[in-house]
């Protein structure tokens, strides 16, 4: 079976379909992982109480964008953000749609602009390989992008919650 390397190979519609069907393996390109790690290290410089405010990194969100969050509370803030957006209802997406969502999220994270730890896309890739598929409800979302609720349900599983 061929392998798609995130951060190196282009993710096209055919590769999404093949991963969704379990016909194509996914892995992370080591050079891309190094880039993602480098960006993460820059983000970590903002995680102490002396750093300047950076929206969503050490501040609240939306109307609370100017409210500083203490370094000791940042993990809880991120967990609660995921929990608060997991508002989907209805039937779960099919396994193949869920696999496509997982692939596309891992791919976006490997582009290196989110400040995420490499462990996050790695976990998604490992879940794809192990055929672990989160339950993501088909209906309901918040935000302009329209994908916050489905992604929150995916993220719940990544933090050890959800189904």
């Amino acid at each position: 079976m061929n392998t798609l390397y995130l951060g190196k190979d282009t993710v096209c519609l055919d590769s999404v379909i093949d991963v969704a069907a379990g016909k194509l393996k996914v892995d992370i390109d080591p050079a891309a992982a190094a880039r993602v790690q480098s960006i993460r290290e820059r983000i970590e410089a903002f995680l102490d109480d002396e750093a300047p405010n950076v929206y969503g990194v050490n501040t609240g969100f939306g109307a609370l964008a100017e409210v500083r969050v203490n370094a000791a509370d940042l993990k809880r803030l991120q967990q609660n953000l995921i929990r608060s957006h997991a508002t989907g209802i209805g039937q779960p997406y099919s396994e193949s749609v869920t696999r496509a969502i997982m692939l596309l999220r891992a791919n976006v994270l490997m582009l290196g602009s989110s400040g995420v730890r490499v462990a996050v896309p790695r976990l998604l890739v490992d879940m794809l390989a192990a055929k672990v598929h989160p339950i993501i409800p088909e209906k309901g979302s918040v935000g302009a992008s329209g994908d916050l609720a489905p992604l929150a349900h995916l993220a719940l599983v990544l933090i050890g919650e959800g189904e």
Side-chain angles (χ1 to χ4, degrees):
M1 185 182 299
N2 290 335
T3 302
L4 173 71
Y5 287 94
L6 299 181
K8 177 182 178 187
D9 297 333
T10 300
V11 176
C12 63
L13 182 57
D14 286 341
S15 59
V16 172
I17 291 168
D18 287 346
V19 169
K23 297 177 182 176
L24 180 64
K25 290 194 286 187
V26 182
D27 206 345
I28 291 174
D29 177 65
R35 286 191 311 272
V36 170
Q37 178 61 33
S38 173
I39 292 165
R40 175 61 189 190
E41 289 168 2
R42 287 187 243 159
I43 290 295
E44 288 178 2
F46 296 104
L47 299 181
D48 67 48
D49 288 327
E50 304 303 315
N53 286 1
V54 177
Y55 177 76
V57 173
N58 58 14
T59 71
F61 305 91
L64 300 175
E66 301 298 321
V67 176
R68 180 62 179 239
V69 178
N70 294 326
D73 295 324
L74 290 174
K75 179 178 179 180
R76 191 174 69 196
L77 171 71
Q78 297 299 320
Q79 290 172 327
N80 286 338
L81 181 68
I82 292 168
R83 292 173 182 142
S84 72
H85 284 74
T87 58
I89 60 171
Q91 294 297 311
Y93 283 119
S94 68
E95 182 179 298
S96 61
V97 169
T98 300
R99 289 180 62 80
I101 291 168
M102 294 166 68
L103 168 66
L104 293 172
R105 182 51 39 189
N107 183 60
V108 165
L109 295 174
M110 286 307 300
L111 296 177
S113 58
S114 69
V116 71
R117 293 177 299 129
V118 176
V120 177
R122 166 55 55 204
L123 182 54
L124 287 168
V125 166
D126 290 347
M127 288 170 60
L128 284 167
K131 297 186 183 335
V132 174
H133 307 113
I135 301 299
I136 303 174
E138 288 182 330
K139 296 184 173 118
S141 197
V142 293
S145 62
D147 63 353
L148 294 179
L151 291 177
H153 284 277
L154 171 59
L156 278 176
V157 173
L158 298 179
I159 65 170
E161 299 179 17
E163 298 179 61

